[in-house]
Amino acid sequence: MMMRPAAQQYVVTRPLYSEESFAQDHEKIYRHRKTMLDHIKQYFTCDAKRAKSTALSLLPVIGWMKAYRFKEWLLGDIVSGVSTGLVAVLQGLAYCLLASLPPWYGLFSAFFPVIIYFFLGTSRHISVGPFPVLCLMIGSAVTRLVPDEGPAFNITGFEGLTRDEQRVLVASSVTFLAGVMQLAMGVLQVGFVVMYLSDTLVSGFTTAAAIHILVSQLKFVLGLEVPGISGPLSLIYTLEIIFNKITSTNVCDVVISIVIMVVVFIVKEINERFKSKLPVPIPIEVVMTVIACGVSYAFDFKTRYGIDVVGYIPKGYEAPVAPNPQIFQETAVEAFPIAIVGFAVAFSVAKVYSIKHDYTIDGNQELIAFGVSNIFGASFRSFAASTALSRSAVQESTGGKTQVAGLLSAVIVMIVTLAIGFLLEPLPKSVLGAVIIVNLKGSLMQFREIPYLWRRDKADCVVWLASCIGAFLLGLDLGLAVGLGVELISVILRTQFPRCSLLANIRGTDIYKDRKDYISIYEPEGVKIFRIPSPIFFANIEFFRNKLVEAVGFNPLRVLRKRNKAVRMIRKLLKKGKLQWTSIGLLNTSCGPINESEDESNMEELDQPTDFKDFPARIDWNAELPANIAVPRVEIHSLVLDFAAVSFLDISGLKGLRALLKELIRVEVEVYIVACDPYILEKLHDCSFFDDEVQSSMFYLTLHDAMLHILEKHPEPIPKKSDYEKVKKSNKHNIQGVFDILLSRDRNVGISLKLCFSVFVVFEK
């Protein structure tokens, strides 16, 4: 065979292996597998080494502080901490509006969780604090229990509190409960649950959340009084109220918002385009906030134009407060998605930076860190913390190397809270709303993923649309549940209805591919190779059976019953003398036609192996049968099942597979199973899968081993030369006939083609 100069090839000479022969020739190493009891004992065993390892894992700060490079990292952490702190102050005030709380409580959320995460977190680069989606989810719970209009829920502990104090109590209690859930999941080592939130689902969910955030900020940008609405279709109702009140828009708020959005957008684009040349990104949000504060104070916007401003910011921190257990009962459904989303977003961002800077993060420890952070922060009236991508990007891009930068950002927030918070009192809320809207650009641009997903993976596109539309119409908590449900259904459907295929050999190789995809293939007569690319379990065993029946072209159970009925009839006719067994087979000795009788007695016997014990020879079922006895023909003698992609087999799948194999064996089809996982094979032995009919010898190491065995057992007949000459002569006559037809229709074309054919024949001779 001609090979390209650069091509490589390998030649292997080895015996042909079934699973049994391979096990005989190659001894396996015995490995003791731990039982559940062994795992439990190991989990609760404690020694000095494990105690030290546990302490280091629970307090990661000990590990990275030992390796801290003061000369190389400290300056970068200081610059990063100051920059991130300024952004955290602004985002704390702005995102607090999403939670329907007084703005200064956002400063608490930018301080307390950061302190705890410094000691317990494993990521060195994320900036912990308010996250807009979480703030919106908390705001939904807050406005449901303490609405803008009408009485609050009848909850013990609300007596004597103002509306803002009631809302703060609800927000801190929800945060406390979400923190307890995160801590419990971390302790129970179930951090893997976040893997069920795929990138597609999170993208669709955050896009819908960005729309919710955009709508919620319109009331500040337009200067309207819009009550907070929660629950399904809340977005539609909010837009309806805004459009009804659009004539009451405060023009000054609109002008300020447009100016802020245009300037911030332009400078952010400059930061993005020239990020490699700028030493640090331009903190345009902070600059515009300071300018807006100064202008608002100088021209007294609140009095002259009726603009809503941040207002009084108290100095210092408030005393710790205990969460309200009754609020736990009312908000448990909202707290769980808050816990999951908060951790999922933070873990995703942390994973990006850990890969970029080559260190590891621990998902379970992250759950513990955020759980304790939220529990501790909720005690001081902060709300749920996660991370914002923009804030984390500032911390990393300005030179931050460790969470020392995060700690310094918390110090900046503390300075504002204790000393200079009063300077932010004249800040218009429309400025905060405009800043929030500009920062939604990345989330809203995710709509561009829809065409890409539709072209590449329609199932993922459906998940994206379901999570987005569900969150848009039903709210973020129910929308997340809808997205997760659709995602799990898509996974189930993909495993329940896999793309099965018939394989064929690529000529001249030991490679087998889908027979529909290649031209140069080799398929031995009477052999089918069937591949199922998924586990076999209770939900898809019937689908597997139907696809296999479709692939081989017959139903083995139906063929078996037909054969057993035929044997019954032949046995009766032999006794009556209407049939006679001769050297050339069965001979009909009756003068007239033989009518087939439908004997429905003992139907169970029809499913048993065909019994030829009183016959002088076996019946050739593919030959012509006497009288009017009709049995479906079986055109194959061997069936190969490729189990390379079968990762597990449950009891239902095992029983269904065994029944199917018996049906095939009973209609004289040899079945071979190849590339089976050793653990599945071991399970088959443990479950007494094998018997006199279904034997372990049908398992082969590779597909090529099984095919070589089949070809050795059923060699293909070599075509005779005379047969070849007949085919060749027949083809020439057929071509000649075609030329005669063309000649009758178009003389010039016919003569030209006939001349070419004559030349071809001469050269062939």
Side-chain angles (χ1 to χ4, degrees), residues 350-369:
K351 188 163 62 173
V352 170
Y353 289 121
S354 69
I355 294 172
K356 181 178 179 180
H357 295 279
D358 193 23
Y359 62 90
T360 58
I361 56 173
D362 183 353
N364 293 310
Q365 180 60 27
E366 287 292 294
L367 271 172
I368 293 173

PDB file of all heavy atoms in Angstrom, residues 350-369:
ATOM      1  N   ALA A 350     -13.902  32.684  40.501  1.00  0.00           N
ATOM      2  CA  ALA A 350     -12.675  32.238  41.181  1.00  0.00           C
ATOM      3  C   ALA A 350     -11.926  31.210  40.341  1.00  0.00           C
ATOM      4  O   ALA A 350     -10.687  31.213  40.285  1.00  0.00           O
ATOM      5  CB  ALA A 350     -13.027  31.651  42.547  1.00  0.00           C
ATOM      6  N   LYS A 351     -12.675  30.332  39.673  1.00  0.00           N
ATOM      7  CA  LYS A 351     -12.033  29.303  38.850  1.00  0.00           C
ATOM      8  C   LYS A 351     -11.272  29.926  37.681  1.00  0.00           C
ATOM      9  O   LYS A 351     -10.180  29.466  37.319  1.00  0.00           O
ATOM     10  CB  LYS A 351     -13.097  28.326  38.352  1.00  0.00           C
ATOM     11  CG  LYS A 351     -12.552  27.113  37.649  1.00  0.00           C
ATOM     12  CD  LYS A 351     -13.598  26.005  37.556  1.00  0.00           C
ATOM     13  CE  LYS A 351     -14.789  26.447  36.762  1.00  0.00           C
ATOM     14  NZ  LYS A 351     -15.749  25.337  36.527  1.00  0.00           N
ATOM     15  N   VAL A 352     -11.841  30.979  37.092  1.00  0.00           N
ATOM     16  CA  VAL A 352     -11.174  31.664  35.981  1.00  0.00           C
ATOM     17  C   VAL A 352      -9.816  32.206  36.424  1.00  0.00           C
ATOM     18  O   VAL A 352      -8.790  32.016  35.743  1.00  0.00           O
ATOM     19  CB  VAL A 352     -12.060  32.803  35.443  1.00  0.00           C
ATOM     20  CG1 VAL A 352     -11.281  33.672  34.464  1.00  0.00           C
ATOM     21  CG2 VAL A 352     -13.307  32.244  34.774  1.00  0.00           C
ATOM     22  N   TYR A 353      -9.787  32.876  37.567  1.00  0.00           N
ATOM     23  CA  TYR A 353      -8.534  33.477  38.036  1.00  0.00           C
ATOM     24  C   TYR A 353      -7.557  32.433  38.561  1.00  0.00           C
ATOM     25  O   TYR A 353      -6.337  32.612  38.455  1.00  0.00           O
ATOM     26  CB  TYR A 353      -8.822  34.519  39.115  1.00  0.00           C
ATOM     27  CG  TYR A 353      -9.468  35.768  38.566  1.00  0.00           C
ATOM     28  CD1 TYR A 353     -10.707  36.203  39.011  1.00  0.00           C
ATOM     29  CD2 TYR A 353      -8.840  36.527  37.582  1.00  0.00           C
ATOM     30  CE1 TYR A 353     -11.305  37.348  38.494  1.00  0.00           C
ATOM     31  CE2 TYR A 353      -9.424  37.665  37.059  1.00  0.00           C
ATOM     32  CZ  TYR A 353     -10.655  38.068  37.524  1.00  0.00           C
ATOM     33  OH  TYR A 353     -11.236  39.191  37.003  1.00  0.00           O
ATOM     34  N   SER A 354      -8.063  31.342  39.130  1.00  0.00           N
ATOM     35  CA  SER A 354      -7.152  30.296  39.612  1.00  0.00           C
ATOM     36  C   SER A 354      -6.426  29.634  38.448  1.00  0.00           C
ATOM     37  O   SER A 354      -5.246  29.296  38.546  1.00  0.00           O
ATOM     38  CB  SER A 354      -7.935  29.247  40.412  1.00  0.00           C
ATOM     39  OG  SER A 354      -8.794  28.506  39.566  1.00  0.00           O
ATOM     40  N   ILE A 355      -7.122  29.446  37.319  1.00  0.00           N
ATOM     41  CA  ILE A 355      -6.478  28.872  36.131  1.00  0.00           C
ATOM     42  C   ILE A 355      -5.462  29.854  35.558  1.00  0.00           C
ATOM     43  O   ILE A 355      -4.353  29.476  35.160  1.00  0.00           O
ATOM     44  CB  ILE A 355      -7.547  28.502  35.083  1.00  0.00           C
ATOM     45  CG1 ILE A 355      -8.424  27.364  35.600  1.00  0.00           C
ATOM     46  CG2 ILE A 355      -6.893  28.120  33.757  1.00  0.00           C
ATOM     47  CD1 ILE A 355      -9.624  27.056  34.728  1.00  0.00           C
ATOM     48  N   LYS A 356      -5.837  31.124  35.534  1.00  0.00           N
ATOM     49  CA  LYS A 356      -4.952  32.142  34.972  1.00  0.00           C
ATOM     50  C   LYS A 356      -3.669  32.281  35.778  1.00  0.00           C
ATOM     51  O   LYS A 356      -2.583  32.460  35.210  1.00  0.00           O
ATOM     52  CB  LYS A 356      -5.688  33.480  34.917  1.00  0.00           C
ATOM     53  CG  LYS A 356      -4.871  34.617  34.316  1.00  0.00           C
ATOM     54  CD  LYS A 356      -5.681  35.899  34.252  1.00  0.00           C
ATOM     55  CE  LYS A 356      -4.856  37.044  33.668  1.00  0.00           C
ATOM     56  NZ  LYS A 356      -5.642  38.310  33.604  1.00  0.00           N
ATOM     57  N   HIS A 357      -3.756  32.180  37.102  1.00  0.00           N
ATOM     58  CA  HIS A 357      -2.586  32.408  37.968  1.00  0.00           C
ATOM     59  C   HIS A 357      -2.031  31.118  38.568  1.00  0.00           C
ATOM     60  O   HIS A 357      -1.195  31.173  39.477  1.00  0.00           O
ATOM     61  CB  HIS A 357      -2.949  33.396  39.079  1.00  0.00           C
ATOM     62  CG  HIS A 357      -3.269  34.767  38.578  1.00  0.00           C
ATOM     63  ND1 HIS A 357      -2.304  35.693  38.264  1.00  0.00           N
ATOM     64  CD2 HIS A 357      -4.459  35.373  38.303  1.00  0.00           C
ATOM     65  CE1 HIS A 357      -2.875  36.814  37.840  1.00  0.00           C
ATOM     66  NE2 HIS A 357      -4.175  36.643  37.844  1.00  0.00           N
ATOM     67  N   ASP A 358      -2.546  29.966  38.102  1.00  0.00           N
ATOM     68  CA  ASP A 358      -1.955  28.666  38.432  1.00  0.00           C
ATOM     69  C   ASP A 358      -1.965  28.372  39.935  1.00  0.00           C
ATOM     70  O   ASP A 358      -0.910  28.206  40.556  1.00  0.00           O
ATOM     71  CB  ASP A 358      -0.524  28.588  37.893  1.00  0.00           C
ATOM     72  CG  ASP A 358       0.009  27.156  37.925  1.00  0.00           C
ATOM     73  OD1 ASP A 358      -0.807  26.226  37.937  1.00  0.00           O
ATOM     74  OD2 ASP A 358       1.240  26.991  37.950  1.00  0.00           O
ATOM     75  N   TYR A 359      -3.141  28.325  40.505  1.00  0.00           N
ATOM     76  CA  TYR A 359      -3.294  27.799  41.867  1.00  0.00           C
ATOM     77  C   TYR A 359      -4.648  27.111  41.948  1.00  0.00           C
ATOM     78  O   TYR A 359      -5.479  27.242  41.044  1.00  0.00           O
ATOM     79  CB  TYR A 359      -3.151  28.897  42.931  1.00  0.00           C
ATOM     80  CG  TYR A 359      -4.190  29.998  42.871  1.00  0.00           C
ATOM     81  CD1 TYR A 359      -5.378  29.899  43.582  1.00  0.00           C
ATOM     82  CD2 TYR A 359      -3.974  31.153  42.119  1.00  0.00           C
ATOM     83  CE1 TYR A 359      -6.332  30.903  43.545  1.00  0.00           C
ATOM     84  CE2 TYR A 359      -4.919  32.163  42.071  1.00  0.00           C
ATOM     85  CZ  TYR A 359      -6.096  32.032  42.789  1.00  0.00           C
ATOM     86  OH  TYR A 359      -7.042  33.035  42.742  1.00  0.00           O
ATOM     87  N   THR A 360      -4.867  26.361  42.999  1.00  0.00           N
ATOM     88  CA  THR A 360      -6.092  25.569  43.110  1.00  0.00           C
ATOM     89  C   THR A 360      -7.063  26.209  44.087  1.00  0.00           C
ATOM     90  O   THR A 360      -6.664  26.882  45.036  1.00  0.00           O
ATOM     91  CB  THR A 360      -5.780  24.137  43.581  1.00  0.00           C
ATOM     92  OG1 THR A 360      -5.102  24.190  44.845  1.00  0.00           O
ATOM     93  CG2 THR A 360      -4.902  23.423  42.572  1.00  0.00           C
ATOM     94  N   ILE A 361      -8.349  25.977  43.821  1.00  0.00           N
ATOM     95  CA  ILE A 361      -9.392  26.405  44.755  1.00  0.00           C
ATOM     96  C   ILE A 361     -10.217  25.184  45.132  1.00  0.00           C
ATOM     97  O   ILE A 361     -10.306  24.219  44.377  1.00  0.00           O
ATOM     98  CB  ILE A 361     -10.285  27.499  44.151  1.00  0.00           C
ATOM     99  CG1 ILE A 361     -10.895  27.035  42.836  1.00  0.00           C
ATOM    100  CG2 ILE A 361      -9.533  28.788  43.975  1.00  0.00           C
ATOM    101  CD1 ILE A 361     -11.919  27.998  42.266  1.00  0.00           C
ATOM    102  N   ASP A 362     -10.800  25.230  46.307  1.00  0.00           N
ATOM    103  CA  ASP A 362     -11.575  24.111  46.842  1.00  0.00           C
ATOM    104  C   ASP A 362     -13.039  24.532  46.906  1.00  0.00           C
ATOM    105  O   ASP A 362     -13.399  25.454  47.643  1.00  0.00           O
ATOM    106  CB  ASP A 362     -11.049  23.745  48.229  1.00  0.00           C
ATOM    107  CG  ASP A 362     -11.760  22.536  48.813  1.00  0.00           C
ATOM    108  OD1 ASP A 362     -12.737  22.071  48.213  1.00  0.00           O
ATOM    109  OD2 ASP A 362     -11.342  22.069  49.891  1.00  0.00           O
ATOM    110  N   GLY A 363     -13.894  23.858  46.134  1.00  0.00           N
ATOM    111  CA  GLY A 363     -15.302  24.215  46.091  1.00  0.00           C
ATOM    112  C   GLY A 363     -15.990  24.090  47.429  1.00  0.00           C
ATOM    113  O   GLY A 363     -16.787  24.959  47.827  1.00  0.00           O
ATOM    114  N   ASN A 364     -15.702  23.026  48.168  1.00  0.00           N
ATOM    115  CA  ASN A 364     -16.343  22.836  49.477  1.00  0.00           C
ATOM    116  C   ASN A 364     -15.884  23.899  50.478  1.00  0.00           C
ATOM    117  O   ASN A 364     -16.686  24.406  51.266  1.00  0.00           O
ATOM    118  CB  ASN A 364     -16.038  21.432  50.013  1.00  0.00           C
ATOM    119  CG  ASN A 364     -16.698  20.353  49.176  1.00  0.00           C
ATOM    120  OD1 ASN A 364     -17.888  20.409  48.886  1.00  0.00           O
ATOM    121  ND2 ASN A 364     -15.923  19.373  48.765  1.00  0.00           N
ATOM    122  N   GLN A 365     -14.595  24.253  50.441  1.00  0.00           N
ATOM    123  CA  GLN A 365     -14.100  25.292  51.330  1.00  0.00           C
ATOM    124  C   GLN A 365     -14.685  26.662  50.949  1.00  0.00           C
ATOM    125  O   GLN A 365     -14.963  27.491  51.831  1.00  0.00           O
ATOM    126  CB  GLN A 365     -12.576  25.343  51.283  1.00  0.00           C
ATOM    127  CG  GLN A 365     -11.940  26.385  52.181  1.00  0.00           C
ATOM    128  CD  GLN A 365     -12.271  26.196  53.649  1.00  0.00           C
ATOM    129  OE1 GLN A 365     -12.536  25.077  54.100  1.00  0.00           O
ATOM    130  NE2 GLN A 365     -12.266  27.292  54.412  1.00  0.00           N
ATOM    131  N   GLU A 366     -14.916  26.885  49.655  1.00  0.00           N
ATOM    132  CA  GLU A 366     -15.561  28.124  49.231  1.00  0.00           C
ATOM    133  C   GLU A 366     -16.980  28.215  49.778  1.00  0.00           C
ATOM    134  O   GLU A 366     -17.440  29.289  50.192  1.00  0.00           O
ATOM    135  CB  GLU A 366     -15.587  28.209  47.698  1.00  0.00           C
ATOM    136  CG  GLU A 366     -14.241  28.496  47.065  1.00  0.00           C
ATOM    137  CD  GLU A 366     -13.746  29.896  47.385  1.00  0.00           C
ATOM    138  OE1 GLU A 366     -14.362  30.872  46.944  1.00  0.00           O
ATOM    139  OE2 GLU A 366     -12.738  30.002  48.103  1.00  0.00           O
ATOM    140  N   LEU A 367     -17.687  27.094  49.792  1.00  0.00           N
ATOM    141  CA  LEU A 367     -19.028  27.077  50.380  1.00  0.00           C
ATOM    142  C   LEU A 367     -18.973  27.435  51.855  1.00  0.00           C
ATOM    143  O   LEU A 367     -19.793  28.216  52.364  1.00  0.00           O
ATOM    144  CB  LEU A 367     -19.659  25.693  50.203  1.00  0.00           C
ATOM    145  CG  LEU A 367     -20.462  25.446  48.923  1.00  0.00           C
ATOM    146  CD1 LEU A 367     -20.853  23.990  48.812  1.00  0.00           C
ATOM    147  CD2 LEU A 367     -21.706  26.325  48.897  1.00  0.00           C
ATOM    148  N   ILE A 368     -18.003  26.863  52.564  1.00  0.00           N
ATOM    149  CA  ILE A 368     -17.854  27.177  53.995  1.00  0.00           C
ATOM    150  C   ILE A 368     -17.525  28.650  54.177  1.00  0.00           C
ATOM    151  O   ILE A 368     -18.087  29.333  55.054  1.00  0.00           O
ATOM    152  CB  ILE A 368     -16.762  26.278  54.616  1.00  0.00           C
ATOM    153  CG1 ILE A 368     -17.219  24.818  54.632  1.00  0.00           C
ATOM    154  CG2 ILE A 368     -16.410  26.744  56.026  1.00  0.00           C
ATOM    155  CD1 ILE A 368     -16.153  23.836  55.064  1.00  0.00           C
ATOM    156  N   ALA A 369     -16.622  29.169  53.345  1.00  0.00           N
ATOM    157  CA  ALA A 369     -16.206  30.568  53.466  1.00  0.00           C
ATOM    158  C   ALA A 369     -17.376  31.512  53.244  1.00  0.00           C
ATOM    159  O   ALA A 369     -17.612  32.437  54.040  1.00  0.00           O
ATOM    160  CB  ALA A 369     -15.077  30.866  52.474  1.00  0.00           C
TER     161      ALA A 369
END
